Amino acid sequence: MLQPATSSASLKDAPASATAPAARNGQVVRAALTTAAAGLLVGLDTGLIAEALGFIGHDFHASPRMQEWIVSVLMIGALLGSLGAGVFSRRFGRKLTLGVATLLIGLGALLCATAGVIEQILLGRFLIGMAIGICTFTAPLYISELTTGVMRGTMVSTFSMLQSAGILLGYLAGGIFSGGGHWRLMVGLPVIPAALLCVGCVFLPASPSWLAARGRFEEARRVLRSLRGDEEAADRELDNIRHELGAGHPVGGFALLRRKPYFRRSVALGVGLQVMQQLTGINVVLYYAPKILEGAHFGTSAAAWATVLVGVINAVIGVVAVYMVSRWGRRPLLAASCIIMAGALAVAAVIEGMHLQGLGATSSLMVALLVFVAGFGIGAGPLVWTLCSEIQPIEGRDFGVACSTLANWGMDWGVSNTFLSIVAVAGAGWTFAGFSALNVLFLLFTLLLVPETRNVPLEVIEQHLEAGRPLREIGR
């Protein structure tokens, strides 16, 4: 609810005035957390399909290639969803876009749960994918526009943390329902949180940056004053937004890309970050963990519950990362993440490549996968989304984030749709070795190009970018 206008003198005299900014800060946190809850839906589907895939394949007599398509058709939907999300979000706003995504997730989950033919599952997964593509575009962007520089990293990282929590919930549901093979209950589960989030979207505020980009400056001012609880701070922030917009005459994404070399650089960096995130191999482990573990001589039930342990580590590290990201900075955490992931996959490659067997080998493989997931969770998971929402100038922010999100889902599809086939040809050992090498490449990418943006206002990042500073220095 918007507060009535109050003079500066009365604010000083009012007993509650000292707590007003804190109260409004709580309003920002609630809005950001509601938005970040979209990450729970994104992660929930990942965990559920990993556990349900074997049962679906058995009931529909699906080949390994068809199972790859059941997993990866979601990425095609996500790719198209992220592509359309930029246009829809720019025209209709962040909160409406997020609400539409929750409806699509609910519809897709119902289609999967009631499927009589495998084509209906593919359609449902495609719709869920479209919704996930919209969520991964809209939620980090919307959060970055609602929050200030101090809490921005933490709140955007919460989106990634809740993805991890959703994956764990999916794994747990799979472990519980796997005893009876109740895959329909697994894939229908997202209907409930999707409905709750759809209701929550009704109460979200409009993005001040989006309102300003539409020329609705007075509405943007009212929202900022409501969120910040400080009229002067809100007015200064709006002045910065107006300056970034070029006095209220925004330029379209493609036009900005043609005219501004600095925008081409920021878009390229965002795309590169998302491509490298997917080449770490994280979704190979998360989507196919039960199959990887069964191939390492885990039983079906043991593999299901071992997969839950992967989800536990992923969720716990996600919580830790929320606190670390605003204290350690982006570059150190991302570099450490790459080193941990490369080392863990190198160990997995040796175990699989040498065909080691026995309790020691299977336990070591399990530990290597857990360390890999933990390494991803402290850096590459939350920080890529955070950085991509921070480095784009306001005029082209929708376009820039859409390009990076599109790259994420396109590469996710390429990796997920070929993993089982690559393992069949090259073997698990060489496949893990390849992903280990790609994580070393990600480390070099980070050291050479990624900026440190911790606690740096978005407008300062944009000024440094426009001034032509090297990419790794735009946060200084």
Side-chain angles (χ1 to χ4, degrees):
M1 181 181 296
L2 298 179
Q3 295 297 303
T6 312
S7 69
S8 300
S10 64
L11 282 173
K12 291 179 181 178
D13 295 336
S17 63
T19 61
R24 292 308 172 201
N25 191 63
Q27 183 178 344
V28 173
V29 171
R30 287 192 296 273
L33 286 176
T34 300
T35 306
L40 189 72
L41 292 173
V42 174
L44 186 61
D45 179 81
T46 299
L48 289 170
I49 197 60
E51 296 283 18
L53 185 61
F55 297 109
I56 294 173
H58 178 269
D59 284 5
F60 289 97
H61 307 289
S63 66
R65 183 62 182 147
M66 178 55 72
Q67 291 181 48
E68 283 181 332
W69 274 106
I70 291 172
V71 171
S72 64
V73 71
L74 181 140
M75 290 81 188
I76 297 176
L79 189 150
L80 295 175
S82 62
L83 185 64
V87 176
F88 195 91
S89 177
R90 184 170 61 252
R91 183 172 179 82
F92 298 106
R94 318 313 191 198
K95 58 180 288 186
L96 179 59
T97 302
L98 199 62
V100 169
T102 62
L103 293 175
L104 286 175
I105 288 177
L107 176 59
L110 283 174
L111 285 174
C112 289
T114 59
V117 293
I118 204 163
E119 289 78 11
Q120 185 172 331
I121 292 179
L122 293 174
L123 175 60
R125 296 274 299 158
F126 177 79
L127 291 178
I128 293 172
M130 287 189 66
I132 287 176
I134 294 170
C135 287
T136 52
F137 166 86
T138 307
L141 175 63
Y142 184 34
I143 293 169
S144 71
E145 292 175 340
L146 288 178
T147 55
T148 62
V150 175
M151 69 169 65
R152 192 177 63 237
T154 298
M155 288 292 100
V156 176
S157 296
T158 301
F159 172 76
S160 181
M161 180 199 73
L162 289 175
Q163 278 186 268
S164 300
I167 291 170
L168 174 58
L169 288 175
Y171 286 160
L172 284 171
I176 293 169
F177 294 133
S178 62
H182 301 301
W183 64 266
R184 294 183 186 275
L185 292 176
M186 297 184 204
V187 298
L189 190 60
V191 171
I192 299 172
L196 293 174
L197 183 55
C198 185
V199 173
C201 288
V202 174
F203 301 98
L204 291 174
S207 161
S209 295
W210 177 78
L211 289 171
R214 304 292 293 177
R216 295 157 62 177
F217 294 110
E218 286 307 312
E219 291 179 65
R221 188 189 310 278
R222 288 196 297 271
V223 172
L224 280 171
R225 287 179 174 181
S226 175
L227 292 174
R228 304 294 179 250
D230 184 327
E231 290 189 8
E232 291 185 4
D235 291 345
R236 284 195 303 270
E237 188 171 340
L238 181 59
D239 288 341
N240 287 330
I241 292 172
R242 292 179 72 122
H243 175 73
E244 292 175 54
L245 286 169
H249 298 288
V251 180
F254 280 110
L256 194 66
L257 195 70
R258 289 193 301 269
R259 291 171 47 185
K260 303 294 185 180
Y262 71 84
F263 186 50
R264 291 195 290 271
R265 292 193 302 135
S266 67
V267 170
L269 178 58
V271 168
L273 281 166
Q274 294 285 13
V275 167
M276 293 309 304
Q277 186 201 59
Q278 291 306 309
L279 290 179
T280 62
I282 183 61
N283 281 328
V284 162
V285 173
L286 296 180
Y287 289 134
Y288 295 112
K291 287 189 172 294
I292 293 171
L293 294 171
E294 285 177 25
H297 307 290
F298 280 74
T300 301
S301 179
W305 286 107
T307 301
V308 171
L309 184 56
V310 171
V312 170
I313 295 297
N314 191 37
V316 170
I317 294 298
V319 175
V320 173
V322 168
Y323 292 96
M324 294 174 69
V325 69
S326 293
R327 289 165 174 77
W328 288 24
R330 281 44 160 170
R331 277 171 57 88
L333 277 177
L334 195 53
S337 174
C338 294
I339 293 170
I340 293 170
M341 290 188 292
L345 289 181
V347 172
V350 170
I351 295 170
E352 292 283 12
M354 297 181 67
H355 304 289
L356 301 178
Q357 298 185 15
L359 180 61
T362 54
S363 299
S364 297
L365 177 62
M366 186 69 203
V367 170
L369 294 179
L370 293 176
V371 171
F372 167 75
V373 170
F376 180 85
I378 66 167
L383 290 177
V384 165
W385 293 107
T386 301
L387 285 162
C388 286
S389 68
E390 291 176 330
I391 61 176
Q392 304 301 339
I394 190 171
E395 285 182 295
R397 190 168 293 156
D398 292 272
F399 181 85
V401 175
C403 286
S404 59
T405 307
L406 187 68
N408 177 284
W409 289 110
M411 187 55 64
D412 189 359
W413 174 82
V415 172
S416 302
N417 193 45
T418 57
F419 174 70
L420 295 179
S421 300
I422 292 172
V423 170
V425 174
W430 282 111
T431 304
F432 282 130
F435 282 117
S436 178
L438 288 170
N439 278 286
V440 174
L441 182 62
F442 194 3
L443 173 62
L444 297 175
F445 181 94
T446 299
L447 296 176
L448 292 173
L449 296 173
V450 174
E452 178 54 66
T453 57
R454 180 169 63 106
N455 292 340
V456 182
L458 295 181
E459 58 269 20
V460 172
I461 296 172
E462 179 171 352
Q463 290 165 9
H464 292 170
L465 182 67
E466 189 171 357
R469 291 194 182 187
L471 286 171
R472 65 180 177 181
E473 297 180 7
I474 61 175
R476 295 181 182 177

